[in-house]
Amino acid sequence: MTDSKAFEAALDEISGITVRYNELLSKHTTFQIGGAADYYIETLTAEAMQAVLACAQKYSVRTKVIGRGSNLLFADAGYRGAVISTSAMKQITVSGAEITAEAGASLTALAKAALEASLTGLEFANGIPGSVGGAVFMNAGAYDGEISQVLLRSTYYDAEKREFCTLDADAHEFAYRNSIYRAHPEWTVVSATFSLRNGDHTVIRARMEELMARRADKQPLEYPSAGSAFKRYPGRYTAQMIDEAGLKGKQIGCAQISEKHAGFIINRDGATAEDVLALIDCVRNEIRRLYGIEIEPEIVYVPENG
Ligand SMILES: Cc1cc2nc3c(=O)[nH]c(=O)nc-3n(C[C@H](O)[C@H](O)[C@H](O)COP(=O)(O)OP(=O)(O)OC[C@H]3O[C@@H](n4cnc5c(N)ncnc54)[C@H](O)[C@@H]3O)c2cc1C
């Protein structure tokens, strides 16, 4: 049984963390949706992360590690337990053609560090609003690039074995928007090292700017969202199917299929998680009816007690 008082007392003894009680998760997700978490904890170092996870385990407090909250939909009732954010762990170091970043570093900061060192390979990551940890977890990618192409190794904390481990790139079981981390919720990425190639600063910068402009042109960046709502279906463009199904602009409550890009669900102003889930169901039902196929959400839904 959860021992909240003992957990709170133990948190007081851990250095390198900030703890907020009953913190609204809508403040920490790009969707700007989600009720309050019992605890919202930012860790400054991998050791602080380890201490918080061990403490939560000891007092049976549920945990959910997040990065920048750009692929997440938290429940309207919030989260019973501790949401632990890596976003303060953001150091990036360059050594030759390798870049090592802490899990909470933003992908845009990572791409910019590569540019500063005239290293090529991470241009695709510029503008993806996630963290390094979240990107390794789901093999983030765009415009023909993805994490699996540049990752050398990642380091994670295993909450069951209570130790830090290192995983070489080929052990990640990378697939489309997937890695071994999805099957191991007890593993938390704490850092990742990328292997890049020497390139031309001007060419790298031009490619980054081009991709950023394509994003701004095609994506509804003016509204809160969690990126593409659905995974690609093999051999099909999901957004195109949604468009052809006449669902562009479809709205439930304040959640809407973007009129600019049918692959995005946007928060028009005050959307709830229930609105988004109902809209996801509506789209899946319509695509099943029209095309006889099952499309899967890309957004990760986190229920209050799940
Ligand atoms: C406008 C917009 C555009 C986007 N464009 C793209 C795109 O082009 N390509 C793309 O791939 N994605 C895109 N996304 C989605 C999102 O940015 C990526 O999925 C990103 O990799 C998620 O990182 P995050 O840190 O925000 O993860 P979060 O949303 O915080 O978490 C997502 C999942 O990762 C897990 N996780 C996070 N950090 C860790 C960690 N350190 N260790 C273990 N598990 C962890 C969480 O538990 C959760 O299950 C977009 C999103 C938005 C809002």
Side-chain angles (χ1 to χ4, degrees):
M1 215 176 83
T2 305
D3 188 343
S4 309
K5 287 280 162 266
F7 178 63
E8 288 164 21
L11 286 180
D12 282 344
E13 303 300 315
I14 301 175
S15 56
I17 63 172
T18 55
V19 184
R20 288 178 221 161
Y21 297 88
N22 297 316
E23 176 76 353
L24 278 180
L25 294 165
S26 54
K27 297 200 294 197
H28 302 285
T29 55
T30 55
F31 234 148
Q32 297 177 16
I33 293 174
D38 295 335
Y39 310 96
Y40 180 81
I41 304 172
E42 281 179 1
T43 56
L44 287 171
T45 62
E47 290 68 32
M49 170 69 72
Q50 173 188 28
V52 171
L53 287 169
C55 183
Q57 202 176 26
K58 182 169 177 189
Y59 297 110
S60 304
V61 173
R62 295 168 60 242
T63 55
K64 177 71 181 167
V65 173
I66 69 166
R68 305 216 151 216
S70 64
N71 198 38
L72 286 173
L73 178 65
F74 278 106
D76 298 314
Y79 185 79
R80 303 288 65 80
V83 170
I84 307 173
S85 166
T86 62
S87 61
M89 294 164 57
K90 50 188 181 193
Q91 202 171 326
I92 299 175
T93 48
V94 181
S95 171
E98 290 182 11
I99 300 190
T100 298
E102 288 188 305
S106 79
L107 288 178
T108 296
L110 181 71
K112 289 208 166 110
L115 169 67
E116 287 313 310
S118 296
L119 294 172
T120 182
L122 274 167
E123 292 87 333
F124 76 88
N126 189 40
I128 301 180
S131 69
V132 164
V136 172
F137 173 90
M138 61 96 71
N139 189 20
Y143 306 112
D144 296 328
E146 61 178 22
I147 290 294
S148 65
Q149 297 164 356
V150 281
L151 187 79
L152 192 58
R153 72 184 87 87
S154 66
T155 301
Y156 64 93
Y157 175 66
D158 183 333
E160 273 176 13
K161 292 188 185 153
R162 296 176 178 228
E163 61 187 24
F164 288 99
C165 308
T166 295
L167 208 58
D168 288 332
D170 57 6
H172 280 70
E173 299 177 8
F174 280 126
Y176 172 68
R177 301 294 172 266
N178 206 354
S179 81
I180 193 169
Y181 284 105
R182 274 202 200 267
H184 287 278
E186 75 281 16
W187 293 0
T188 296
V189 180
V190 294
S191 68
T193 299
F194 301 89
S195 175
L196 305 172
R197 285 167 288 114
N198 291 311
D200 182 297
H201 191 272
T202 311
V203 175
I204 297 167
R205 186 203 292 276
R207 176 74 177 151
M208 283 168 64
E209 285 173 356
E210 181 210 334
L211 297 185
M212 202 61 194
R214 278 165 74 175
R215 264 179 202 283
D217 185 43
K218 297 266 183 269
Q219 299 180 0
L221 302 182
E222 58 279 26
Y223 288 103
S225 79
S228 294
F230 297 96
K231 290 184 184 167
R232 210 172 50 202
Y233 189 85
R236 311 253 195 152
Y237 289 106
T238 313
Q240 194 181 336
M241 284 191 289
I242 297 170
D243 193 358
E244 285 169 5
L247 291 168
K248 243 186 188 177
K250 167 88 188 164
Q251 190 161 338
I252 295 184
C254 290
Q256 187 188 45
I257 303 293
S258 164
E259 307 207 29
K260 191 171 177 186
H261 188 314
F264 278 61
I265 291 179
I266 57 171
N267 177 357
R268 293 281 318 194
D269 187 14
T272 63
E274 285 304 315
D275 293 341
V276 175
L277 291 174
L279 195 51
I280 287 175
D281 269 357
C282 166
V283 171
R284 295 183 78 189
N285 290 340
E286 198 55 8
I287 296 297
R288 189 184 308 113
R289 190 179 71 77
L290 290 172
Y291 299 92
I293 59 175
E294 283 295 333
I295 56 169
E296 299 290 331
E298 184 166 319
I299 296 168
V300 179
Y301 174 61
V302 186
E304 180 187 11
N305 291 300

